[in-house]
């Protein structure tokens, strides 16, 4: 699936002035019991695209979902509480429709002035949205002249406002937030590790792209690891799934969590990494405990010697930390996906996680691109006060993970492909300038 898509920044004022632009945004924000926004991060993220359209005289029609109303009009899922904050952020009064289709909506759209903004009501009040219904999408598309998708978190969903509506509008382009996510993803893997196919005699090389993949279960990360084996130079394994790999390599792992039915797959992944000349790093030593508890007895053992019976691995040891850090010192790009390396929150067993997190922050200061994704990793970085020292935070949800698995996302596939690198560079520059201004 081509990921270099046309951006809203590619559209000139002549393309936008007086035109009605249907913009799919992500305003699925948390609200308290009295419907006040408790976190406006997603609202802020939509601002650069909306302001760009306003400045170029477009008539902006915003649509989003909120929560899971299951196709039923539900007051607590109305988008109306978002209007004041949205108006404040974009410095333009936002109109609000009581529906997303119908004659009343059509009338409100007809009254939008150049540079005006109208927010449609929650599209998931209609079951047809999640069913990707053609007639529903056609009604939505009839409101506009062109389409912008700035909701990356929903790009994996084949819903009417994400996929089907693009069949009735043209052009269909990415918003600045969507483009930013794609740029980081493409940039992280812009130099696929393929030289093993053409080199008759393997030669040493400096590592460029490194992935840290952690998880409780290998079964949840197989697709990610398979995809990354063709994209990275080094792959660092952490979390509980590391013990499935160690067990597959005939090391004793005591009572550590192991997926016995995934041992053959684990061994196959190691062999495939070797064939592709991908450095596949498992911990040299591990911190083990006699029970899963903060007060457990603990010690460090070499993975090759094995974990004693009755003990379980809960963190990586100092030798593994040194090994991982030496690998990371060669990086130009690092992506950390999934969970923490050890048991974060238990002082005895979160040393590895803290060490690698600190290392990424240091690398970022030196100009290395550091990308993190996954609820556990993001939450941990926030607790450590390091989240602002990362280059990029991948959005929560399934969309980015499906990209990491090499899957084709309907919402991205539906957008127009870019015409070349000059266009892509210009749209990225516009995005950066707008974000700096905001």
């Amino acid at each position: 699936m081509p990921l270099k898509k046309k951006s809203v920044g590619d559209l000139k004022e002549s393309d936008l002035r007086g035109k009605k632009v249907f913009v799919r945004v992500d305003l699925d924000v948390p609200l308290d019991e009295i419907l006040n926004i408790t976190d406006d991060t997603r609202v802020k993220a939509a601002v650069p695209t909306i302001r760009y359209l306003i400045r170029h005289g477009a008539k902006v029609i915003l649509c989003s979902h909120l929560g899971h109303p299951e196709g039923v009009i539900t007051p607590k899922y109305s988008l109306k509480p978002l209007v004041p904050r949205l108006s404040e952020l974009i410095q333009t009064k936002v109109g609000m429709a009581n529906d997303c289709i119908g004659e009343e909506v059509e009338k409100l759209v007809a009254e939008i002035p150049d540079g005006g903004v109208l927010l449609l009501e929650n599209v998931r009040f209609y079951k047809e949205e999640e069913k990707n219904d053609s007639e529903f999408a056609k009604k939505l598309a009839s409101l506009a002249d062109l389409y912008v998708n700035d909701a990356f978190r929903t790009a994996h969903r084949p819903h009417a406002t994400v996929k089907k509506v693009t069949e009735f509008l043209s052009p269909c382009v990415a918003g600045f937030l969507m483009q930013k996510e794609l740029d980081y993803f493409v940039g992280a893997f812009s130099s696929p590790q393929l030289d093993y196919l053409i080199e008759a005699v393997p030669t040493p090389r400096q590592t460029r792209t490194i992935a840290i993949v952690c998880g409780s279960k290998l079964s949840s990360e197989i697709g990610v690891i398979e995809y990354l084996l063709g994209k990275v130079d080094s792959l660092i394994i952490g979390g509980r799934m590391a013990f499935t790999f160690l067990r597959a390599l005939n090391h004793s792992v005591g009572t550590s969590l192991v997926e016995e039915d995934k041992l053959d797959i684990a061994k196959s992944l190691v062999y495939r990494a070797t064939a592709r000349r991908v450095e596949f790093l498992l911990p040299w030593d591990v911190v083990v405990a006699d029970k899963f508890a903060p007060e457990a007895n603990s010690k460090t053992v070499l993975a090759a010697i094995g974990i004693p019976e009755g003990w379980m691995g809960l963190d990586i040891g100092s030798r593994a930390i040194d090994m991982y850090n030496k690998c990371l010192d060669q990086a130009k790009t690092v992506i950390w996906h999934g969970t923490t390396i050890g048991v974060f929150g238990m002082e005895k067993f979160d040393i590895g996680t803290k060490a690698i997190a600190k290392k990424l922050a240091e690398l970022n200061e030196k100009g290395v691109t550091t990308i993190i994704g996954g609820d556990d990793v993001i939450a941990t970085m926030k607790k450590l006060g390091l989240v602002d020292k990362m280059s990029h935070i991948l959005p929560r949800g399934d969309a980015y993970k499906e990209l990491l698995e090499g899957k084709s996302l309907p919402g991205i596939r539906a957008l127009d492909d870019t015409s070349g690198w000059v266009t892509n560079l210009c749209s990225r520059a516009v995005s950066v300038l707008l974000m700096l201004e905001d």
Side-chain angles (χ1 to χ4, degrees):
M1 176 182 65
L3 293 178
K4 293 184 178 180
K5 297 295 181 175
K6 285 187 178 179
S7 163
V8 66
D10 299 332
L11 303 178
K12 303 175 182 178
E13 184 164 349
S14 58
D15 300 316
L16 295 171
R17 182 161 295 280
K19 297 294 181 64
K20 293 172 288 185
V21 184
F22 190 90
V23 187
R24 180 51 160 104
V25 289
D26 179 11
L27 302 180
D28 187 20
V29 301
L31 302 172
D32 62 21
E33 293 181 358
I34 57 175
L35 302 183
N36 288 322
I37 300 173
T38 59
D39 183 349
D40 65 358
T41 301
R42 292 173 188 168
V43 184
K44 290 179 178 177
V47 169
T49 293
I50 299 171
R51 290 186 65 181
Y52 182 84
L53 293 170
I54 290 172
R55 289 170 185 167
H56 287 75
K59 301 179 179 183
V60 183
I61 306 165
L62 300 177
C63 92
S64 177
H65 74 278
L66 176 61
H68 299 277
E70 307 295 340
V72 178
I73 297 175
T74 312
K76 72 175 181 178
Y77 292 131
S78 172
L79 292 171
K80 292 178 183 177
L82 280 66
V83 171
R85 183 57 176 150
L86 184 57
S87 299
E88 179 184 359
L89 288 171
I90 66 174
Q91 300 174 359
T92 297
K93 183 178 179 180
V94 176
M96 180 72 205
N98 291 322
D99 206 334
C100 58
I101 57 174
E103 292 184 5
E104 184 62 30
V105 174
E106 292 171 6
K107 180 180 178 182
L108 290 173
V109 168
E111 295 172 352
I112 302 175
D114 292 359
V117 182
L118 176 69
L119 175 62
L120 304 183
E121 187 53 283
N122 193 336
V123 291
R124 287 190 182 173
F125 284 173
Y126 286 84
K127 292 181 180 179
E128 289 85 349
E129 161 65 0
E130 296 188 71
K131 291 181 178 180
N132 197 30
D133 182 79
S134 181
E135 288 304 312
F136 179 63
K138 191 179 296 185
K139 291 176 183 178
L140 291 167
S142 69
L143 301 174
D145 300 305
L146 59 143
Y147 175 82
V148 175
N149 190 338
D150 210 25
F152 178 82
R153 288 179 64 254
T154 65
H156 63 300
R157 301 185 183 279
H159 292 175
T161 60
V162 174
K163 182 177 184 292
K164 184 62 68 172
V165 72
T166 64
E167 297 178 12
F168 308 104
L169 290 170
S170 182
C172 297
V173 303
F176 289 129
L177 177 62
M178 175 75 81
Q179 190 64 56
K180 178 184 176 184
E181 299 300 339
L182 295 180
D183 282 349
Y184 265 101
F185 191 86
V186 171
F189 305 118
S190 58
S191 301
Q193 191 276 106
L194 295 174
D195 53 355
Y196 73 96
L197 292 173
I198 60 175
E199 289 185 5
V201 179
T203 57
R205 63 178 179 197
Q206 183 178 8
T207 298
R208 299 181 302 277
T209 302
I210 298 172
I212 304 170
V213 180
C214 304
S216 296
K217 294 183 177 182
L218 171 59
S219 55
S220 299
E221 306 299 339
I222 293 172
V224 172
I225 294 173
E226 288 179 334
Y227 178 75
L228 290 176
L229 286 179
K231 296 292 184 179
V232 303
D233 300 289
S234 294
L235 186 59
I236 295 173
I237 299 295
R240 291 187 175 184
M241 72 175 182
F243 300 105
T244 296
F245 283 100
L246 291 173
R247 178 71 182 84
L249 297 176
N250 297 319
H251 297 307
S252 172
V253 295
T255 58
S256 305
L257 178 66
V258 170
E259 291 182 277
E260 296 290 343
D261 62 334
K262 296 296 183 289
L263 295 180
D264 287 343
I265 292 175
K267 188 180 296 185
S268 171
L269 291 171
V270 174
Y271 289 160
R272 287 161 63 184
T274 301
R276 286 176 172 268
R277 297 182 58 235
V278 174
E279 188 178 22
F280 197 95
L281 299 181
L282 292 166
W284 278 359
D285 57 345
V286 293
V287 179
V288 300
D290 57 1
K291 61 181 177 179
F292 187 84
E295 70 279 5
N297 295 313
S298 64
K299 60 183 178 180
T300 301
V301 300
L302 293 176
I305 294 178
I307 300 174
E309 287 298 322
W311 293 71
M312 65 181 70
L314 297 181
D315 196 8
I316 60 175
S318 59
R319 295 185 184 185
I321 292 172
D322 289 343
M323 177 180 67
Y324 290 175
N325 282 343
K326 286 178 182 178
C327 175
L328 292 169
D329 279 332
Q330 304 175 68
K332 291 184 179 179
T333 301
V334 182
I335 180 168
W336 183 353
H337 157 77
T339 67
T340 57
I341 290 175
V343 183
F344 189 76
M346 290 189 189
E347 188 174 352
K348 288 183 179 180
F349 312 116
D350 63 7
I351 295 174
T353 296
K354 290 178 179 177
I356 301 304
K358 181 180 178 182
K359 185 65 175 181
L360 261 61
E362 292 173 353
L363 291 172
N364 185 60
E365 290 180 357
K366 296 177 181 178
V368 175
T369 300
T370 55
I371 304 170
I372 62 172
D375 289 354
D376 286 351
V377 175
I378 295 171
T380 298
M381 288 292 189
K382 286 181 177 179
K383 289 177 181 177
L384 294 174
L386 298 176
V387 71
D388 293 333
K389 295 186 178 181
M390 299 296 111
S391 303
H392 185 60
I393 312 300
L394 291 167
R396 297 173 185 268
D398 295 332
Y400 96 85
K401 186 178 180 185
E402 292 194 13
L403 274 184
L404 278 179
E405 292 175 344
K407 295 180 179 178
S408 176
L409 274 56
I412 296 175
R413 188 172 62 247
L415 301 178
D416 299 342
D417 293 337
T418 185
S419 56
W421 68 270
V422 174
T423 297
N424 200 39
L425 180 62
C426 291
S427 66
R428 187 183 299 116
V430 170
S431 175
V432 169
L433 289 172
L434 282 171
M435 289 179 180
L436 286 173
E437 181 177 329
D438 292 327

